[in-house]
Amino acid sequence: MGLLVAGLLAGLAGGQPLHAQDGGWTQPELIFEANGRLDNPVIVADAYGQVHGFVVFTEEAFGTSASRSVYYSRLDDPEWQPLDIFVIGGNGTGLTGVSGGNGLALLVNGGDFADSGPSPAHTAKDWHGPTTINQAYTNPNLAVAPDGALWMAFGTSSAEINVERRDPVTGIWEAPKLVGDTASTNAAADWMKLAFSPDGTMHVVWSEFQLPNGWPPLGIYYARSTDGGQTWTDRRRIANQGFNQPNVVIGQNNEVYLTWTGIAGIAGKYFQESLDGGLTWRDIVTLLPAATGGGSEGPPYLSVDSAGGLH
């Protein structure tokens, strides 16, 4: 397969306008094009300002079983390096990455973990792994705590929601800590998202799905911990059946921002915020009305800039 690299991952938006700072956004440039499907694009910036891009590619040749691979490239401004195949033959499309004090970390296919130093030199060969650390569902999440420790949030086949800490000195994963069980019976938790307040408070959101088929989504839930994951508040229901793929980010003053999406037939993108660290919540805001379309195309993403502005 011949693949040409020209710029940034593109073709992922659905035509909605973007609101930008003065000067606007650069034009999108094509980095990957092939016959198949692209899922779960991940962009991670490291402590050296380098940008690392990952995407799951699924071959969809007629009459053959789907073959999935994770592709990786690194931006050496202004050029992207040639694409490397990071993982061949994965069994899912889950992909999440994060940058911390000890370098870069990635989860693929649920509980398969890979990491590298702060700035890989040239290729995907500079990464270690992936190795399986948990039998997690497809879409767990990684986050870095204020003390530099890496944490994973994940759902299990036994209807549990867990978090797990990786010691920043030894690199050893500690025993999982239980957030709670699913609210619904015969259900599984997935599309996990984990975020830390500056004071160390942990915030977890997740979707629950009906088993055995994993569909439909039964609702979205939130919980918080102020003691390093030892104890958690009771789950708070954010949305009902037909909504999934939540996200959570934290503001500079411990604000908690949530987003989620409606499945096809319900659609829409939604937002809710807490200005006191998750104790009380404002009314839900509809960001994208259901009449404009939408569906389960990934969580609506959020980012807080250096001035505290939410995007």
Side-chain angles (χ1 to χ4, degrees):
M1 184 189 302
L3 299 171
L4 297 178
V5 179
L8 190 61
L9 291 170
L12 303 172
Q16 293 298 316
L18 296 175
H19 300 282
Q21 67 278 6
D22 291 341
W25 292 77
T26 59
Q27 290 298 311
E29 299 178 58
L30 184 65
I31 183 175
F32 187 111
E33 187 174 29
N35 293 323
R37 188 179 75 241
L38 301 177
D39 293 298
N40 292 70
V42 171
I43 294 288
V44 182
D46 64 25
Y48 292 87
Q50 289 183 313
V51 178
H52 307 264
F54 301 85
V55 66
V56 178
F57 171 66
T58 305
E59 296 180 12
E60 293 187 324
F62 182 75
T64 62
S65 59
S67 175
R68 297 185 177 99
S69 299
V70 177
Y71 281 82
Y72 165 75
S73 184
R74 191 186 79 255
L75 176 64
D76 289 340
D77 197 25
E79 301 292 337
W80 284 83
Q81 296 297 307
L83 283 161
D84 280 321
I85 297 178
F86 191 81
V87 175
I88 299 175
N91 59 7
T93 59
L95 188 65
T96 183
V98 72
S99 175
N102 288 347
L104 305 175
L106 191 76
L107 284 173
V108 292
N109 302 325
D112 294 341
F113 176 75
D115 67 330
S116 77
S119 185
H122 295 292
T123 71
K125 295 179 181 178
D126 299 303
W127 289 68
H128 309 111
T131 57
T132 301
I133 57 171
N134 278 301
Q135 296 300 321
Y137 277 116
T138 303
N139 297 286
N141 194 227
L142 293 172
V144 179
D147 66 357
L150 183 66
W151 286 76
M152 174 184 178
F154 61 99
T156 73
S157 58
S158 56
E160 293 180 345
I161 300 97
N162 291 318
V163 294
E164 188 168 354
R165 180 180 185 269
R166 186 178 189 241
D167 188 281
V169 177
T170 65
I172 296 174
W173 288 94
E174 300 171 354
K177 295 179 173 63
L178 180 67
V179 176
D181 297 324
T182 55
S184 306
T185 57
N186 196 30
D190 203 9
W191 286 104
M192 312 292 302
K193 292 294 181 181
L194 169 64
F196 286 86
S197 292
D199 64 3
T201 299
M202 305 175 70
H203 307 266
V204 172
V205 291
W206 67 92
S207 303
E208 295 189 3
F209 296 89
Q210 186 68 61
L211 296 176
N213 295 326
W215 199 260
L218 302 174
I220 299 173
Y221 297 87
Y222 162 88
R224 64 195 290 268
S225 172
T226 59
D227 58 6
Q230 297 295 332
T231 60
W232 292 83
T233 60
D234 292 338
R235 70 178 76 86
R236 172 181 174 268
R237 192 181 187 109
I238 299 169
N240 297 321
Q241 181 171 326
F243 298 91
N244 67 349
Q245 296 181 329
N247 201 4
V248 57
V249 301
I250 309 301
Q252 292 181 342
N253 296 310
N254 292 326
E255 303 96 338
V256 185
Y257 303 117
L258 304 177
T259 56
W260 62 95
T261 189
I263 65 173
I266 295 177
K269 310 294 180 185
Y270 305 89
F271 171 84
Q272 193 173 33
E273 64 182 335
S274 170
L275 303 182
D276 55 10
L279 296 175
T280 62
W281 295 86
R282 293 189 166 187
D283 292 340
I284 294 172
V285 175
T286 299
L287 298 177
L288 181 66
T292 61
S296 302
E297 298 297 333
Y301 281 91
L302 295 166
S303 182
V304 177
D305 63 29
S306 58
L310 178 67
H311 301 259

